[in-house]
Amino acid sequence: QKEVEQNSGPLSVPEGAIASLNCTYSDRGSQSFFWYRQYSGKSPELIMFIYSNGDKEDGRFTAQLNKASQYVSLLIRDSQPSDSATYLCAVTANAGGTSYGKLTFGQGTILTVHP
Amino acid sequence: DGGITQSPKYLFRKEGQNVTLSCEQNLNHDAMYWYRQDPGQGLRLIYYSQIVNDFQKGDIAEGYSVSREKKESFPLTVTSAQKNPTAFYLCASSDQHHAYEQYFGPGTRLTVT
């Protein structure tokens, strides 16, 4: 089983719809969760992070975390063509010691928003 | 203008040659990281450094080496021992209080033939 697994894509949604991106992780000790957006040929850009169970909203983006189910998701409301990119989920290794700062990434989900 | 720079953007080498990728940051971040990305894959950690003169192996360190002589710089050498060096290499940094909030440079695309 992969340590961090994202829903297989590509995901295609019409402009204005809600895009839902999902991620599961295997390490129960993980404390922090991140979503990065990566445009084709570019480097990843941090767009959201969440540390506590529940929802965290930032503009059109909402991150949802359920540690009991080891599940984190990203919702993009009112999707725009400019949201078309690969979305990477990243999870921390167990806190402390030499793992500090170490992230494990999922394989990414390609999102296409069509007009 | 603060940020992370990587050079060059594209790099071509012949098999058997060592090559060094540059990464510089002026964000005053303590920690720096090197990742590798293959097509359709997520990022895999090669090496990371939390402070100057100290670094740790990541998940795929074999065939790579690093140094951290200055806070601003974290060069990565891809040696001839790395079996599949062609990839997109990404450098990142973070500050000590938010070690997991990592910010990436533009990347170097290395092609070895």
Side-chain angles (χ1 to χ4, degrees):
Chain A
Q1 184 191 359
K2 290 182 184 175
E3 292 183 51
V4 179
E5 195 145 4
Q6 297 185 236
N7 51 327
S8 58
L11 178 65
S12 181
V13 301
E15 186 173 356
I18 296 175
S20 178
L21 303 157
N22 303 316
C23 175
T24 57
Y25 59 95
S26 60
D27 185 352
R28 283 200 171 273
S30 296
Q31 299 291 321
S32 307
F33 308 86
F34 302 84
W35 284 99
Y36 284 83
R37 177 176 63 199
Q38 186 176 25
Y39 292 115
S40 181
K42 303 295 186 182
S43 60
E45 172 193 9
L46 180 63
I47 55 171
M48 286 286 286
F49 53 87
I50 186 166
Y51 302 141
S52 304
N53 276 330
D55 295 0
K56 178 182 178 183
E57 190 173 313
D58 184 1
R60 295 187 296 112
F61 298 100
T62 299
Q64 299 175 316
L65 174 61
N66 183 327
K67 288 187 179 180
S69 300
Q70 295 176 242
Y71 176 91
V72 58
S73 65
L74 179 70
L75 301 178
I76 306 175
R77 289 183 303 281
D78 188 25
S79 296
Q80 302 296 311
S82 59
D83 294 326
S84 298
T86 297
Y87 289 81
L88 297 164
C89 171
V91 172
T92 56
N94 268 321
T98 58
S99 294
Y100 188 67
K102 187 177 175 186
L103 287 173
T104 301
F105 284 80
Q107 77 277 22
T109 299
I110 298 172
L111 172 67
T112 302
V113 181
H114 51 87
Chain B
D1 189 19
I4 305 172
T5 57
Q6 292 185 243
S7 61
K9 188 172 181 179
Y10 298 97
L11 190 54
F12 298 88
R13 281 292 182 270
K14 293 289 188 186
E15 197 173 312
Q17 293 179 332
N18 291 355
V19 59
T20 298
L21 280 58
S22 167
C23 178
E24 304 276 334
Q25 55 96 2
N26 61 4
L27 301 167
N28 200 33
H29 283 172
D30 295 292
M32 297 185 74
Y33 312 81
W34 274 106
Y35 292 91
R36 167 186 174 138
Q37 188 175 35
D38 294 284
Q41 303 288 317
L43 279 62
R44 290 184 290 167
L45 183 64
I46 304 172
Y47 269 99
Y48 62 111
S49 168
Q50 295 168 350
I51 55 172
V52 174
N53 292 322
D54 187 46
F55 48 82
Q56 285 81 40
K57 292 182 180 180
D59 299 318
I60 55 165
E62 186 175 347
Y64 300 98
S65 65
V66 294
S67 62
R68 186 87 187 276
E69 298 176 1
K70 298 188 299 182
K71 187 175 184 178
E72 303 79 16
S73 179
F74 190 40
L76 173 75
T77 296
V78 184
T79 74
S80 56
Q82 168 49 232
K83 291 182 170 43
N84 297 298
T86 295
F88 187 37
Y89 290 88
L90 289 155
C91 178
S93 70
S94 63
D95 72 35
Q96 60 177 326
H97 301 297
H98 304 91
Y100 298 111
E101 295 170 30
Q102 298 175 15
Y103 297 89
F104 286 84
T108 292
R109 199 167 295 276
L110 173 65
T111 302
V112 176
T113 56

